[in-house]
């Protein structure tokens, strides 16, 4: 997906990028300081609408708020999706602040502390068990609090998914309980919690629809085998998500139609036959919010060193760890970047954009074509920043102020 | 450097690691929560003493506080070193809070905003100019505030240093002003600031003493050429630092004697002859504080998945970006790690240590030998955490509480 397509998704006003209906310079004036993150409410809604339109009606959407825990974003989505998934007791508090029903909140992640599990049981959310130890802790917390805990078992599948940005299932994993261990665990279960069902998640940031569809098929097969051992009918069937978004020019967007067609087949076929009480859940973080956000940073200096032109901006890697190539990437590739205040100028000169940190890691764009007249005070925009931006970056590094975040 | 050598540096009490004179479990009780960072005051002092003993007396030591800006650490070092280097206006405030004289504080880094430069000029610290634009801003701020700004010119040298963890000089760079541009810049300088001298810094985290010595020799040669164009005698000669510390078993500690012997030759020879008014500065961050700190995290779960044993801890990559292999490393290598509460148990079983984040990136140790009896509630210690630990990590990721930091 190229830069022009990203620009078109947001739109333009005169020679500026449009964000939430406003020209970039006016939004920057409203925010009052750079750098900042801006999330476009209309694009968020459009993304939810797209999913609702294409996916089978019986599918529930869960928002994995780890992708973007900004309270206004979580609040906005809380009324538009069916569930929220949290990754810590801290996230759980923000999810519950939205007014969502506790039984619509799930809590996944290895290493839940006894204190976190006690909080989750007290709240009445669904705790996704990642180990036999966690099951014991949940039951103990339920007894202590006189509450029947709601739980699901997170399963580490016996298959792996190729082509994911991050593989999270198959082989030895810290995530979930190995599929082959689940029957024994359920056989030894002596009550003390309501086991609603299963969560199987094999990998994230996948752009290949066929692979996602195949993983969903294998997941339904696996759950069909495991469900026999459940003490009650299956009421929770979390198929994971892993829908990717295109970060670089060589990435093509996910073919959502293909994924949707396969889900339709599963929902009307094996799921309807086998699990009439369950509405399957697709859990999405990055795919829901990632493309709706931008990072805006101001040019502080323009300098030429030994033939190379640098734009030095007031933001940097401390807010943009992934764009700098330091968030799990084996190879650094440029994210889509424009000078958002000069969209009419032809991109004719090769430049690098570097942040204000005193480290060579702080590289936001390496040798890309930008307007030759790009100058101090111009606003640089990095796309695909709605997910894993601010909170996935080392914000305290070098003591710069925290950036603002706005939902517009 | 192997794990046993790291243990010996801190010492032991019974079967536990000793930190700041206390057994690990007692320190953990004092802190009251895990995970936490602990910095050993005695080891900090020992490191300063080592440098003072080996380096020529005329060398000034500057602490690059970006490595560890914890206020207590900065305060402790402020009375033991000669200077503090800051990388932002935020760091500058903390440096000045220690009571250090402003002319002993330097401010380096590309992308200083006009507001930051105004703050620095008002404070009276040394602003290290990274571009002609910054020189203009400093002079303007001085006029506005009726203060003569103290400045130094950061020079991007015409040589590169091999073997650095991060190369920061030579070729095109966002750092400093190209050496060949400096004479013209000085020729066109018409007053408005006191230009004290130069800072040349070619690369960080270097473990090869010969290469560091050669870079220092080239730096003195370069400054000798450039100093002719200065409007006043050179009074500031910052030779950089770049002294590395060993993070992995394959790293050997830096041979400080070789670096010191070369500095002695420079100080008594060319520097004394050419710059009688200047005390050369060696600027160190990581080398001063990196080995004095540990990260302590508690085992929350122990699980076996398909033949692999995982210790799941309550900390993780959100405090340990570098140990997880995501801070500029091309290849992930294990940092030195022990179960600090079981030093007497033989390290006989291969395990992996993972954090509590719901991502496969959160890997703190991959297949290392640990005590077979390592269990829930044990305290895992990661060494070499005094520099670029907490502030260089995405602390807000997944909404876990911030870790404590103690200087003991």
């Amino acid at each position: 997906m190229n830069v022009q397509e990203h620009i078109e998704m947001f739109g333009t006003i005169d020679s500026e990028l449009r964000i939430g209906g406003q020209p970039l310079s006016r939004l920057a004036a409203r925010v009052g300081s750079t750098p900042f993150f801006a999330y476009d409410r209309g694009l968020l809604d459009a993304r939810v609408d797209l999913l609702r339109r294409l996916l089978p009606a019986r599918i529930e959407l869960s928002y994995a708020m780890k992708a973007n825990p900004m309270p206004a974003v979580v609040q906005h989505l809380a009324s538009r999706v069916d569930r929220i998934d949290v990754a810590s007791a801290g996230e759980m508090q923000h999810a519950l602040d939205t007014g969502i029903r506790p039984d619509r909140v799930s809590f996944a992640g290895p290493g839940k502390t006894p204190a976190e599990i006690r909080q989750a049981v007290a709240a009445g959310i669904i705790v996704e068990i990642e180990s036999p130890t966690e099951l014991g802790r949940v039951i103990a917390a339920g007894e202590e609090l006189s509450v029947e805990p709601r739980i699901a078992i997170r399963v580490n599948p016996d298959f792996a998914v190729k082509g994911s940005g991050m593989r999270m299932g198959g082989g030895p994993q810290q995530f979930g309980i190995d599929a082959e261990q689940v029957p024994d665990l359920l056989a030894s279960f002596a009550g003390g919690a309501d086991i609603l069902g299963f969560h199987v998640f094999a990998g994230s940031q996948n752009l290949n629809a066929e692979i996602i569809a195949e993983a969903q098929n294998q997941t339904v097969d696996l759950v069909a085998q495991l469900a026999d051992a459940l003490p009650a009918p299956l009421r929770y069937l979390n198929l994971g998500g892993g829908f990717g978004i295109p970060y670089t020019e060589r990435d093509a967007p996910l073919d959502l139609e293909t994924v949707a067609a396969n889900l339709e087949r599963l929902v009307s076929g094996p799921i309807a036959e086998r699990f009439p009480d369950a509405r399957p859940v697709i859990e999405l973080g990055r795919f829901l919010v990632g493309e709706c956000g931008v990072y805006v940073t101001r040019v502080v200096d323009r300098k030429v060193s030994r033939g190379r032109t640098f734009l030095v901006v007031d933001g940097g890697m401390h807010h943009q760890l992934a764009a700098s190539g330091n968030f799990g990437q084996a190879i650094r590739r440029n994210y889509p970047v424009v000078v958002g205040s000069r969209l009419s100028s032809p991109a004719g000169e090769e430049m690098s954009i570097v942040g204000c940190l005193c480290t060579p890691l702080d590289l936001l764009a390496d040798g890309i074509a930008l307007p030759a007249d790009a100058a101090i005070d111009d606003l640089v925009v990095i796309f695909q920043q709605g997910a894993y931006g601010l909170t996935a970056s080392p914000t305290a590094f070098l003591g710069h102020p925290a950036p603002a975040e706005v939902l517009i």
Side-chain angles (χ1 to χ4, degrees), chain A:
Chain A
M1 196 166 161
N2 65 37
V3 162
Q4 200 53 44
E5 293 171 284
H6 289 288
I7 293 172
E8 283 160 16
M9 196 161 74
F10 282 86
T12 59
I13 294 178
D14 299 328
S15 62
E16 292 192 66
L17 191 69
R18 183 178 67 202
I19 300 172
Q22 292 201 359
L24 176 62
S25 60
R26 177 157 172 195
L27 176 61
R30 169 191 141 176
V31 175
S33 60
T34 49
F36 63 89
F37 287 84
Y39 313 116
D40 188 306
R41 212 182 286 268
L43 289 179
L44 272 182
D45 289 347
R47 182 53 61 107
V48 174
D49 292 347
L50 175 75
L51 287 160
R52 295 292 194 197
R53 198 170 68 243
L54 291 181
L55 300 189
R58 198 156 159 230
I59 293 280
E60 292 192 345
L61 284 182
S62 178
Y63 174 47
M65 68 174 275
K66 66 164 81 68
N68 188 332
M70 186 203 183
V73 168
V74 179
Q75 184 73 58
H76 187 80
L77 286 173
S79 61
R80 284 160 176 81
V81 298
D82 306 292
R83 297 177 176 272
I84 297 177
D85 182 68
V86 303
S88 67
E91 286 192 357
M92 179 187 84
Q93 309 297 357
H94 290 295
L96 295 173
D97 282 345
T98 66
I100 194 170
R101 275 170 42 189
D103 63 347
R104 303 257 124 203
V105 176
S106 56
F107 181 5
K112 300 180 196 79
T113 64
E116 283 185 308
I117 284 179
R118 191 171 181 276
Q119 289 175 270
V121 170
I125 68 169
I126 301 170
V127 181
E128 296 194 350
I129 300 300
E130 310 260 352
S131 73
T133 306
E134 288 196 354
L135 177 58
R137 285 185 185 145
V138 167
I139 293 171
E143 281 172 9
E144 185 210 332
L145 295 163
S146 300
V147 169
E148 184 179 38
R150 291 187 173 99
I151 68 171
I153 295 174
R154 181 161 173 192
V155 180
N156 177 23
D158 47 6
F159 58 86
V161 172
K162 288 179 186 165
S164 291
M166 294 183 195
R167 194 175 119 172
M168 299 179 75
Q173 289 287 346
Q174 68 258 51
F175 309 109
I177 295 169
D178 295 348
E180 58 273 26
Q181 293 182 11
V182 172
D184 282 352
L185 185 77
L186 289 174
S188 66
F189 175 69
D194 185 10
I195 306 180
L196 300 167
F198 299 103
H199 178 193
V200 183
F201 180 42
S204 72
Q205 178 52 18
N206 203 316
L207 288 167
N208 187 315
E210 281 77 22
I211 290 176
I212 290 176
E214 175 59 20
Q216 290 169 343
N217 294 343
Q218 291 183 284
T219 295
V220 172
D221 284 351
L222 176 61
V223 171
Q225 294 165 37
L226 297 178
D228 289 333
L230 280 178
L234 182 131
R235 287 150 291 157
Y236 182 74
L237 172 51
N238 188 328
L239 301 172
F243 298 8
I245 64 172
Y247 281 104
T248 70
E249 288 226 339
R250 48 198 286 164
D251 295 335
L254 175 67
D255 171 12
L256 195 59
E257 282 84 355
T258 294
V259 176
N262 187 66
L263 279 174
E264 181 58 50
R265 198 187 56 73
L266 285 173
V267 162
S268 59
I271 291 176
E273 291 155 24
R274 189 69 175 75
F275 308 117
D277 301 323
R279 286 187 63 190
V281 178
I282 292 289
E283 189 176 296
L284 300 171
R286 191 192 310 264
F287 191 80
L288 271 172
V289 295
E291 305 203 273
C292 310
V294 294
Y295 177 69
V296 181
T297 176
R298 195 176 290 277
V299 177
V300 175
D301 206 346
R302 178 182 167 145
K303 57 192 283 191
V304 178
S305 170
R306 294 178 184 140
R308 190 160 152 198
T309 299
F310 292 89
L311 297 182
V312 187
V313 296
D314 62 1
M317 183 187 74
H318 51 320
H319 311 148
Q320 288 291 307
L321 191 63
S324 79
N326 286 288
F327 198 67
Q329 297 105 319
I331 297 169
R332 188 197 171 285
R333 293 206 170 84
N334 287 324
Y335 274 37
V337 178
V338 292
V339 179
S341 43
R342 275 184 206 274
L343 295 182
S344 308
S345 306
E349 188 175 335
E350 192 172 286
M351 303 184 196
S352 293
I353 302 175
V354 296
C356 63
L357 302 188
C358 201
T359 163
L361 297 179
D362 196 4
L363 177 63
L364 299 179
D366 189 20
I368 61 167
L370 291 173
D373 55 357
I376 289 172
D377 279 337
D378 275 350
L379 294 169
V380 164
V381 174
I382 306 183
F383 292 103
Q384 306 295 78
Q385 289 303 321
Y388 302 114
L390 178 58
T391 60
S393 297
T395 43
F397 197 42
L398 302 201
H400 290 281
E405 279 187 301
V406 291
L407 172 64
I408 175 167

